């Protein structure tokens, strides 16, 4: 399936952001809304597009892409629909409005256009009935989670008539082009993610009352301590909007009258009270929480007022949550008399109970439920994974005991399959399908062959390849017999130390002897957090400056080994690529970067400058781009380096000059290794040769440095930069411009590398830089001194 052009119907927050992400993915997109009563007829869509630049996190991977979204209205622009391949309807959750809109657009669509609704819970089969019969096989639900750019989950919901080829084509498009994790959901209210996720929040809210806990205490218990996002329960409700939360709860109440938990499908009194007051959460400046000055305060229901938020578990529960063995942890939670422990056990018990009871109705397999919650709600483990890890039969026995004792939220029995002697729902044969009473393997859809290491479900193992060579810093390995080696780091946060530097150089020598290409790829994020600051600071504190300079020289040697390797070295970047990590990918023959790559030469933030060849490489690129006046090119990157800017996407990294125009951007991070290997293979097969050493690089010289210094003077005069900031920035300018040398002079690579080393070591010897390094290591934040 090829989708060249799409239309999004509805320019609300969700519709506009879906349009933004389709545009990120290179799909020409028309954004429709009602005709405006005043001003331009497409004013509502125009305003929504303009608003995208103000949203945080940013829906657009490059703000300039906003200009590519075509604003439209239903009165004048329905002709746009005749050549669109995909229509996504994202208007308000009103069945009657959606049905009317479908009737309005149906006659304007081509005979091959796919029509999809982004509804979060309305019946897809009922919506399909508004379309002409010949179009119903091309209709389905496609439910993005908010914010669409960042949330991995998309639920794909077929109707009884949806053509399998349409569904398969749309799944491939969503996975590869849009970069999503697709779960096929059944047409039941709220589908999978919100059905289970909202129940989990309702359960937490109910037990908040039962155990008389504060909202901040519950958030302390249900956030990172459980492997869930910082927003936990009540902060999540504030972010989503309390009115939206109440609407989703009402949808469950209205559409699930026979659910055994139906009595709990209502907004708690205090939630409704906030809504009645117009306190709808973050969008109105307050809900369960609000900011007073610099402080965050939380609603205290008993006092009917706000108090400072503490967000801290009890000592006993903190100790229990610190236990690594899940079975022991759950045993202690259930046995404890601490109200916080009882709250956690009760919340998990009812979540497990609800998920098992409804598995057959809402999803094909337990894997679909776990992925929906992980990808849509940001949990590290889904409900079934958590249950299985904690000991399936023991937990099932405790749930049954609580049901019999009347402690559970519902007396509905656990399904018989739960207690049939199984050890869980995920195993070597796949994941359990309650409706089929069988284990089912992962999807065999061809798109998933591109995911060499997909997101693993509990206990799932993948081929980790064959080790060619390894040391304490890196592993060189192969996956299959394609002749392409993979270098992966073995350090925490994939930082760079001597073992990594020596290891990369040795691995490249071996690759030149035995392989045809190499990919630098990490088994998990980040790509690299940069140099090992702890080791560097240790050398400085001990006054071992010679050893420190040797380390810097070795860093540069590694970058040069990457750049001048006789076999192509391709960097596969996802997540952070800071400092040395950024420099390694800069020197690669090509970089393949996931869209969500946060790349930066951040050394100035710790009082240093890039000295792994980064400035040298930027100077060479500037000279190649404009040999007559490299300063014009250097102006584009000087601020990037001096202000330690980090890209907010791979596209932005190109704008900052940290990725090249020819570098490849991949939208699905699980396809990164596959694409990087394809790129490496293509380079090798095309007769790759490394760039020749640059021996005559024109530089901007002392005139260029002086020009940069003049601009820095204004920053210092306005107290926007400290004297040490100015010193760092001046040294960056001196290196980029080739040192104290006449403008237009030519230098070689070693000249530029020597300048890097000189300034790097001199900065490292200063007390202020050492203080910055120590402060960053201790607090994780930069120091301005």
């Amino acid at each position: 399936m090829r989708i060249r052009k799409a239309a999004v119907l509805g320019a609300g927050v969700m519709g506009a952001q879906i349009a933004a992400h389709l545009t990120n993915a290179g799909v020409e997109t028309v954004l429709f809304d009602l005709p405006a009563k005043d001003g331009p007829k497409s004013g509502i869509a125009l305003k929504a597009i303009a608003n995208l630049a103000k949203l945080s996190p940013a829906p657009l991977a490059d703000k300039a892409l906003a200009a590519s979204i075509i604003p439209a209205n239903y009165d004048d622009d329905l002709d746009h629909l005749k050549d669109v391949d995909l229509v996504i309807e994202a208007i308000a959750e009103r069945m009657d409005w959606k049905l009317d809109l479908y009737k309005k657009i149906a006659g304007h669509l081509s005979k091959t256009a796919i029509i999809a609704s982004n509804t979060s819970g309305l019946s897809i089969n009922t919506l399909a009935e508004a379309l002409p019969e010949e179009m119903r096989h091309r209709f389905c639900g496609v439910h993005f989670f908010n914010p669409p750019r960042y949330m991995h989950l998309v639920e794909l919901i077929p109707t009884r008539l949806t053509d399998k080829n349409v569904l398969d084509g749309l799944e491939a498009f969503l996975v590869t082009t849009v970069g999503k994790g697709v779960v096929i959901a059944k047409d039941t209210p709220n589908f999978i993610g919100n059905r289970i996720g909202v129940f989990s929040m309702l359960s937490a809210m109910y037990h908040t009352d039962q155990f008389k806990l504060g909202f901040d205490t519950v958030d302390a218990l249900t956030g990172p301590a459980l492997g869930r996002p910082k927003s936990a329960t009540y902060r999540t409700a504030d972010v989503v909007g309390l009115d939206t939360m109440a609407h989703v709860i009402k949808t469950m109440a209205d559409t699930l009258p026979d659910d055994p938990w139906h009595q709990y499908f209502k907004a708690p009194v205090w939630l409704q009270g906030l809504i009645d007051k117009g306190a709808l959460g973050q969008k109105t400046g307050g809900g369960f929480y609000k900011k007073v000055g610099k402080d965050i305060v939380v609603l205290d229901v008993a006092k009917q007022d706000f108090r400072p938020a503490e967000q801290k578990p009890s000592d006993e529960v903190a100790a229990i949550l610190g236990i690594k063995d899940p079975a022991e942890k759950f045993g202690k939670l259930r046995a404890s008399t601490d109200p916080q422990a009882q709250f956690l056990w009760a919340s998990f018990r009812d979540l497990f109970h609800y998920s098992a009871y409804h598995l057959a109705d809402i999803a094909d397999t337990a894997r679909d439920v776990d992925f929906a919650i992980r990808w849509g709600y940001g949990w590290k483990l889904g409900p079934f994974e958590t249950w299985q890890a904690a000991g399936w039969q023991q937990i099932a026995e405790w749930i049954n005991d609580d049901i019999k004792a009347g402690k559970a939220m519902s007396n509905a029995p656990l399904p018989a399959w739960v207690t049939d002697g199984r050890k869980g729902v995920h195993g070597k044969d796949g994941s359990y399908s309650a409706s089929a009473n069988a284990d089912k393997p992962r999807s065999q859809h061809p798109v998933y062959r591109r995911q060499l290491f997909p997101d693993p479900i509990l206990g799932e193992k993948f081929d980790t390849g064959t080790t060619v060579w390894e040391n304490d810093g890196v592993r060189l390995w192969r996956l299959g017999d394609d002749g392409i080696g993979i270098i992966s780091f073995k350090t925490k946060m994939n930082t760079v130390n001597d073992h990594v530097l020596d290891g990369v150089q040795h691995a490249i020598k071996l690759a030149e002897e035995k392989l045809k290409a190499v990919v630098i790829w990490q088994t998990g994020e980040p790509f690299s957090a940069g140099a090992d600051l702890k080791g560097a600071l240790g050398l400085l504190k001990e006054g071992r400056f010679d050893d420190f300079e040797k380390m810097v020289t070795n860093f540069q040697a590694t970058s040069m080994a990457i750049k001048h390797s006789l076999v192509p070295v391709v960097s596969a970047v996802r997540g952070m690529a800071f400092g040395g990590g950024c420099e390694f990918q800069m020197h690669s023959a090509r970089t393949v970067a996931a869209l969500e790559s946060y790349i930066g030469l951040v050394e100035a933030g710790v009082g240093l400058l890039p000295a792994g060849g980064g400035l040298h490489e930027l100077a060479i690129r500037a000279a190649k781009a404009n040999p007559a006046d490299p300063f014009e090119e250097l102006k584009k990157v000087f601020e990037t380096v001096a202000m330690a800017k980090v890209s907010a996407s791979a596209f932005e990294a190109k704008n900052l000059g940290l990725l090249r125009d020819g570098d490849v951007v991949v939208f699905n991070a699980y396809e990164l290794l596959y694409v990087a290997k394809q790129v490496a293979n293509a380079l090798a097969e095309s007769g790759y040769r490394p760039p020749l050493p640059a021996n005559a690089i024109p530089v901007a010289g002392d005139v260029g440095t002086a020009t940069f210094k003049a601009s820095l003077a204004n920053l210092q005069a306005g107290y926007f930069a400290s004297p040490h900031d100015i010193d760092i920035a001046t040294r960056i300018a001196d290196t980029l411009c080739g040192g104290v040398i006449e403008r237009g002079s030519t230098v070689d690579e070693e000249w530029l590398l020597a300048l890097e080393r000189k300034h790097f070591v001199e900065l490292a010897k200063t007390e202020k830089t050492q203080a910055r390094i120590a402060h960053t290591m201790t607090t994780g934040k930069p120091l301005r001194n």
Side-chain angles (χ1 to χ4, degrees):
M1 178 186 294
R2 303 291 182 190
I3 293 177
R4 183 184 299 276
K5 188 174 182 180
V8 177
L9 311 181
V13 173
M14 205 55 192
Q17 290 196 68
I18 292 171
H21 194 56
L22 290 173
T23 305
N24 288 338
V27 178
E28 184 182 8
T29 304
V30 187
L31 180 60
F32 279 88
D33 211 297
L34 295 167
K37 293 176 181 176
D38 302 306
K41 205 78 174 284
S42 298
I44 294 174
L46 280 164
K47 186 176 179 181
I49 294 167
N51 193 52
L52 290 170
K54 302 173 187 174
L55 295 177
S56 180
L60 290 163
D62 179 352
K63 287 183 180 179
L65 287 170
S68 299
I69 304 173
I70 303 166
N73 69 84
Y74 301 122
D75 277 4
D76 300 340
D77 302 313
L78 289 179
D79 270 358
H80 271 300
L81 295 175
K82 71 179 186 298
D83 59 352
V84 302
D85 305 301
L86 172 65
V87 176
I88 298 177
E89 169 271 306
I91 68 170
E93 293 288 82
R94 282 273 301 266
M95 180 72 78
D96 54 341
W97 291 359
K98 290 178 187 286
L99 296 178
D100 285 345
L101 182 57
Y102 295 174
K103 290 171 185 173
K104 187 170 188 174
I105 68 167
H108 296 269
L109 296 171
S110 75
K111 294 181 179 180
T112 57
I114 295 171
I115 312 99
S117 175
N118 184 59
T119 178
S120 59
L122 296 178
S123 169
I124 301 300
N125 281 288
T126 303
L127 288 171
E129 291 169 9
L131 293 168
E133 195 166 338
E134 68 272 14
M135 297 176 69
R136 293 177 190 174
H137 70 284
R138 292 182 272 125
F139 179 78
C140 63
V142 55
H143 180 215
F144 286 81
F145 272 60
N146 192 23
R149 172 183 160 188
Y150 300 93
M151 297 308 293
H152 192 56
L153 177 66
V154 170
E155 292 175 314
L156 201 51
I157 312 100
T159 70
R160 290 183 292 271
L161 300 174
T162 306
D163 187 291
K164 185 179 185 302
N165 290 330
V166 167
L167 203 67
D168 286 349
L170 194 52
E171 182 171 5
F173 168 75
L174 289 167
V175 170
T176 290
T177 305
V178 189
K180 296 301 167 191
V182 171
V183 167
I184 308 294
K186 296 184 179 183
D187 186 18
T188 53
N190 286 1
F191 312 127
I192 302 173
N194 282 340
R195 182 74 175 273
I196 301 298
V198 172
F199 176 81
S200 176
M201 294 182 74
L202 282 171
S203 170
M205 288 177 175
Y206 171 73
H207 291 302
T208 299
D209 267 352
Q210 294 296 299
F211 296 103
K212 308 294 184 232
L213 300 180
F215 301 131
D216 51 342
T217 300
V218 170
D219 278 355
L221 297 171
T222 59
L226 295 185
R228 299 180 188 175
K230 288 181 182 178
S231 54
T233 301
Y234 292 102
R235 284 185 189 276
T236 294
D238 273 355
V239 170
V240 169
L242 305 192
D243 53 341
T244 304
M245 181 81 188
H247 173 78
V248 175
I249 295 168
K250 186 177 185 301
T251 299
M252 291 179 75
D254 292 346
T255 57
L256 296 165
D258 300 324
D259 192 300
W261 284 262
H262 184 268
Q263 62 177 303
Y264 304 103
F265 299 165
K266 59 185 179 183
V269 174
W270 28 263
L271 174 58
Q272 192 58 53
L274 286 168
I275 294 170
D276 292 343
K277 290 178 183 175
L280 305 181
Q282 191 169 281
K283 60 188 173 186
T284 60
F288 292 109
Y289 296 89
K290 67 179 181 180
K291 197 169 185 179
V292 178
K294 292 185 178 180
D295 299 320
I296 302 293
V297 294
V298 63
L299 179 65
D300 187 315
V301 174
K303 295 179 180 177
Q304 287 292 295
D305 199 0
F306 285 83
R307 60 170 173 78
E310 295 175 0
Q311 203 156 329
K312 186 182 176 186
S314 68
D315 291 343
E316 180 185 341
V317 170
I320 293 173
L321 291 176
I323 296 170
K324 291 188 176 179
D325 176 23
E328 182 185 354
K329 183 186 299 183
F330 271 82
K332 289 188 181 298
L333 284 175
R334 189 169 191 271
S336 173
T337 57
D338 187 309
Q340 294 183 19
Q342 293 175 334
F343 162 85
L344 283 171
W345 162 250
S347 297
F348 273 115
R349 173 199 64 214
D350 293 320
L351 171 63
F352 296 159
H353 187 188
Y354 190 82
S355 300
Y357 186 88
H358 287 296
L359 175 58
D361 305 329
I362 66 172
D364 188 36
T365 69
R367 178 176 52 247
D368 295 326
V369 173
D370 282 339
F371 278 152
I373 293 300
R374 280 166 49 174
W375 295 343
Y377 280 77
W379 295 13
K380 285 187 178 176
L381 290 178
F384 287 117
E385 290 177 296
T386 306
W387 181 350
Q388 182 170 324
W392 185 269
Q393 288 301 332
Q394 178 62 80
I395 295 289
E397 185 181 316
W398 287 339
I399 294 171
N400 265 327
D401 289 347
D402 281 9
I403 292 171
K404 290 172 187 173
K407 293 180 180 178
M409 288 172 71
S410 169
N411 61 5
L414 278 173
W417 62 263
V418 171
T419 52
D420 65 1
R422 67 177 50 251
K423 293 182 179 179
V425 289
H426 304 301
K428 59 181 175 54
D429 296 323
S431 297
Y432 184 68
S433 170
S435 54
N437 191 28
D439 289 340
K440 290 190 176 183
R442 279 179 176 260
S443 168
Q444 296 303 301
H445 191 304
V447 73
Y448 296 112
R449 294 174 197 158
R450 297 169 60 86
Q451 298 187 14
L452 303 180
F453 290 88
D455 197 0
I457 205 75
L458 183 72
E460 203 169 17
K461 303 290 184 188
F462 303 109
D463 180 7
T464 55
T466 305
T467 299
V468 177
W469 175 85
E470 64 183 324
N471 69 353
D472 289 342
V474 306
R475 177 188 180 223
L476 172 65
W477 54 288
R478 290 175 59 178
L479 192 64
D481 57 0
D482 54 11
I484 297 171
I486 303 166
I487 296 175
S488 299
F489 299 176
K490 296 162 70 172
T491 50
K492 185 178 180 182
M493 297 287 284
N494 298 317
T495 52
V496 181
N497 59 19
D498 286 336
H499 296 299
V500 171
L501 296 172
D502 294 340
V504 169
Q505 291 177 53
H506 187 70
I508 288 173
K509 285 179 184 175
L510 288 175
E512 289 175 334
E513 296 170 12
K514 302 179 179 181
L515 303 169
K516 67 178 183 180
V518 169
V519 172
I520 302 176
W521 177 81
Q522 314 299 6
T523 56
E525 291 187 18
F527 178 72
S528 175
D532 173 18
L533 289 178
K534 183 178 180 182
L537 186 62
L539 293 175
L540 295 173
K541 290 292 187 187
E542 293 170 17
R544 294 165 57 190
F545 298 117
D546 287 346
D547 289 339
F548 183 79
E549 186 164 358
K550 286 177 185 175
M551 182 195 74
V552 179
T553 303
N554 201 24
F555 222 122
Q556 292 180 335
T558 306
S559 291
M560 293 303 101
I562 291 170
K563 181 173 183 176
H564 295 292
S565 167
L566 291 173
V567 296
V569 179
V570 173
S571 287
V573 174
R574 56 181 167 169
M576 295 183 296
F578 291 168
C582 176
E583 288 171 305
F584 285 172
Q585 67 80 25
M586 288 174 70
H587 288 85
S588 300
R590 193 81 82 250
T591 294
V592 177
L595 178 70
E596 301 309 330
S597 293
Y598 312 116
I599 302 173
L601 293 170
V602 297
E603 287 85 351
V606 289
L608 294 166
L609 52 68
L615 297 181
H616 135 281
E617 183 65 18
L618 290 174
I620 291 174
R621 291 182 188 180
K624 282 184 179 178
N626 191 341
D629 188 7
F631 183 77
E632 286 303 308
E633 296 298 317
L634 292 175
K635 285 194 294 188
K636 301 173 186 177
V637 294
F638 172 68
E639 188 177 310
T640 296
V641 183
M643 298 187 70
K645 287 185 177 180
V646 174
S647 72
S649 72
F651 289 160
E652 193 172 302
K654 289 191 176 189
N655 294 339
L656 293 174
L658 301 173
L659 287 180
R660 296 154 291 198
D661 288 342
D663 288 333
V664 179
V665 178
V666 172
F667 272 61
N668 194 318
Y670 294 108
E671 296 183 350
L672 184 67
L673 179 58
Y674 172 86
V675 176
K677 290 185 77 178
Q678 296 291 318
V679 169
N681 187 63
L683 287 169
E685 291 295 325
S686 64
Y688 175 82
R689 294 293 299 177
L692 293 169
N695 296 319
I697 306 159
V699 293
D702 49 10
V703 173
T705 304
T707 307
F708 281 133
K709 285 180 73 174
S711 65
L712 293 172
N714 294 331
L715 286 175
Q716 188 169 8
Y719 299 102
F720 296 111
S722 70
H724 196 51
D725 290 328
I726 300 300
D727 183 27
I728 297 162
T730 301
R731 291 171 183 271
I732 290 169
D734 185 68
T735 307
L736 286 172
C737 294
V740 183
I741 191 171
E742 189 175 334
R743 181 179 183 177
S745 300
T746 59
V747 300
D748 60 16
E749 291 192 63
E750 181 49 45
W751 175 278
L752 294 171
L753 292 171
L755 273 174
E756 275 189 356
R757 290 195 302 273
K758 169 180 171 287
H759 287 306
F760 187 86
V761 173
E762 287 176 0
L763 281 171
K765 289 179 179 179
T766 66
E767 287 184 16
K768 288 187 175 180
T769 284
Q770 291 180 27
R772 287 191 182 192
I773 295 173
H775 187 269
T776 300
M777 285 174 53
T778 305
T779 67
K781 297 177 182 178
L783 172 67
R784 286 285 169 260
N785 57 359

